[in-house]
């Protein structure tokens, strides 16, 4: 009974998201409210009746797989970005990706549940999930059980402060061109993604260095200035 | 990319709990504050350093397996006890056990992290977990991300009201005998377990019917009266 065993799970869905690479993904859900994504149920789970009653809830728990980390070894100790990448913490005291089982958990605000042909989608707001992420379960968020008002949050007691983000005239114009072409307003999304400071900790004290982050089919270039970030260019990847 | 795939996970721990059978287990964590249980890390994950930093947090998320349901088929629609066992809801709008992947999720208040010989334990308060439950992940509860103060809870907006529980003199005496023998105070645990009304919905309108619930090595007998529950006997199972 006490010898460890293994369990096999089937993917039940997939995430479609603006985050097409790991770099730039917010470190927790809900930080970038502008993010829109969808969760698509996959066969044989793509049945509308599995979602009956979900419309009364505002949020769901999404259990997903850190699929780009699945081949990597787990680590007993990791360096959380919240501690500047310096101090090491036990992996079970963090939500790091290199876990013994690469299972992620996000609470996400849901929008419309809709159908296209036989495909079933749940709109997600503020998801911190990579495009293509496999989903293994969805559960309703139950405020009476999940809100632990007296909880204390160790080394991550509150949100990191946001960093001011500015845009060059050129970048603003490119965002307008992008919007006309793809009907997506990139400016607030870029602002909310970059104000989280997605830079790796070892670069967090450098200035005037160019960084890039991919959002949908755009490649956003920005510089770290002394007291703000400056978005200089929005390239469209055709 | 959009074809479903399967994932294999290793058990990282096991739950030791007073709930030795499914019947009587509270339907969410935290409802029965008196419950004490422990989570034991299993090899090769039984390393203290994997928990470094966890002492600063008050609560953890436990991802576990509904191991007694693992052979059973999933259901697209289930009858949540909250709806009196009558209305059916989509499985993904509930936390029912018969899910496509039988993964459970509980937020649990933690106590001491301690060691006996080479075994590592985390004390759990208010766990809703069956003895022997396999654990596949532990994550810290992050108040700033996990408390969704504006969430709405569909058909389960708040706790069910508690039902009054009384004890016969005989049952009280048996609880004292039990306490002297095993150093466990059963009375508050029994009260908190039974006030949740663990009866199956089809029996919830019957009176004077005897029910039994196993807690640790005791078998607790109780009757449903008109306006309260009456605990009549606490049998010790040797």
């Amino acid at each position: 009974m006490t010898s460890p065993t293994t369990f096999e799970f089937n993917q039940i869905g997939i995430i479609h998201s603006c985050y097409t690479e790991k770099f730039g993904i917010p470190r927790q859900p809900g930080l970038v409210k502008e993010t829109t994504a969808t969760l698509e149920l996959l066969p044989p789970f793509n049945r509308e009746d599995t979602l009956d009653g979900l419309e009364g809830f505002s949020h769901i728990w999404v259990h997903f797989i850190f699929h780009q980390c699945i081949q990597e070894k787990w680590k007993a100790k990791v360096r959380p970005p919240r501690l500047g990448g310096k101090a090491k913490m036990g992996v079970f005291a963090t939500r790091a990706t290199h876990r013994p089982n690469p299972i992620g958990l996000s609470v996400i605000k849901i929008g419309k549940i809709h159908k296209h042909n036989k495909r079933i989608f749940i709109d997600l707001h503020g998801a911190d999930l990579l495009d293509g992420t496999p989903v293994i379960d969805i559960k309703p968020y139950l405020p009476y059980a999940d809100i632990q008002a007296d909880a204390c949050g160790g080394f991550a007691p509150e949100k990191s402060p946001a960093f001011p983000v500015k845009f060059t005239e050129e970048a603003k114009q490119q965002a307008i061109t992008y919007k006309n072409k793809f009907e997506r307003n990139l400016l607030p999304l870029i602002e909310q993604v970059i104000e989280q400071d997605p830079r790796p900790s070892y670069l967090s004290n450098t200035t005037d260095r160019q960084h890039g982050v991919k959002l949908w089919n755009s490649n956003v270039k920005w510089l770290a200035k002394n007291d703000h970030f400056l978005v200089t260019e929005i390239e469209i990847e055709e």
Side-chain angles (χ1 to χ4, degrees), chain A:
Chain A
M1 199 59 190
T2 54
S3 65
T5 173
T6 61
F7 300 96
E8 201 179 80
F9 296 119
N10 298 306
Q11 183 177 0
I12 63 139
I14 187 167
I15 298 292
H16 304 290
S17 149
C18 59
Y19 302 112
T20 53
E21 60 173 18
K22 276 194 278 182
F23 183 72
I25 297 186
R27 284 165 185 141
Q28 298 300 332
L31 297 176
V32 175
K33 305 252 179 258
E34 195 63 28
T35 308
T36 48
T38 55
L39 189 161
E40 178 178 1
L41 292 180
L42 295 183
F45 310 108
N46 59 338
R47 294 174 49 172
E48 252 184 315
D49 57 351
T50 62
L51 303 177
D52 283 353
L54 196 62
E55 64 283 354
F57 293 87
S58 57
H59 294 68
I60 52 172
W61 289 108
V62 177
H63 297 254
F64 62 93
I65 306 289
F66 293 117
H67 62 302
Q68 292 200 351
C69 302
I70 218 157
Q71 302 304 338
E72 297 169 44
K73 260 182 86 99
W74 72 282
K75 294 178 189 165
K77 299 203 68 172
V78 297
R79 297 177 194 273
R82 285 302 285 265
L83 298 173
K86 285 166 197 147
K88 278 191 168 185
M89 289 286 156
V91 65
F92 293 135
T94 76
R95 301 208 189 177
T97 54
H98 293 86
R99 324 181 65 74
N101 296 309
I103 302 173
L105 177 67
S106 287
V107 54
I108 300 179
K109 189 164 183 180
I110 57 174
K112 235 171 69 171
I113 297 167
H114 51 104
K115 241 175 136 168
H116 280 294
N117 302 322
K118 294 202 166 172
R119 297 169 69 186
I120 296 168
F121 300 90
I122 306 173
D123 285 344
L124 305 177
H125 299 294
D128 56 343
L129 301 171
L130 189 63
D131 193 49
T133 293
V135 173
I136 55 169
D137 205 0
I138 310 167
K139 293 180 176 47
Y141 183 89
L142 299 181
Y144 81 87
D146 295 336
I147 294 180
Q148 297 288 331
D150 61 337
C152 62
F155 58 82
E158 52 196 34
K159 285 187 203 184
S160 301
F163 215 71
V165 178
K166 298 178 183 174
F167 294 81
T168 62
E169 262 323 301
E170 192 191 352
K172 277 188 200 163
Q173 284 304 319
Q174 288 164 331
I176 292 169
T177 307
Y178 186 93
K179 192 176 177 185
N180 292 338
K181 203 161 173 183
F182 300 105
E183 293 184 6
R184 287 180 190 133
N185 190 3
L186 279 183
L187 285 183
L189 176 62
I190 292 172
E191 185 174 353
Q192 291 177 21
V193 166
I194 296 182
E195 73 181 8
Q196 308 293 324
D197 192 357
R199 294 176 299 169
S201 342
Y202 68 93
L203 290 179
S204 63
N205 287 320
T206 58
T207 48
D208 283 317
R209 190 184 173 108
Q210 184 172 271
H211 302 275
V213 62
K214 292 188 180 182
L215 295 171
W216 297 115
N217 54 340
S218 76
N219 191 1
V220 181
K221 308 272 175 74
W222 49 286
L223 294 172
K225 296 289 186 183
N226 265 328
D227 59 353
H228 67 283
F229 292 147
L230 180 65
V231 179
T232 53
E233 195 183 351
I234 302 171
E235 261 180 27
I236 301 178
E237 303 191 324
E238 298 294 335

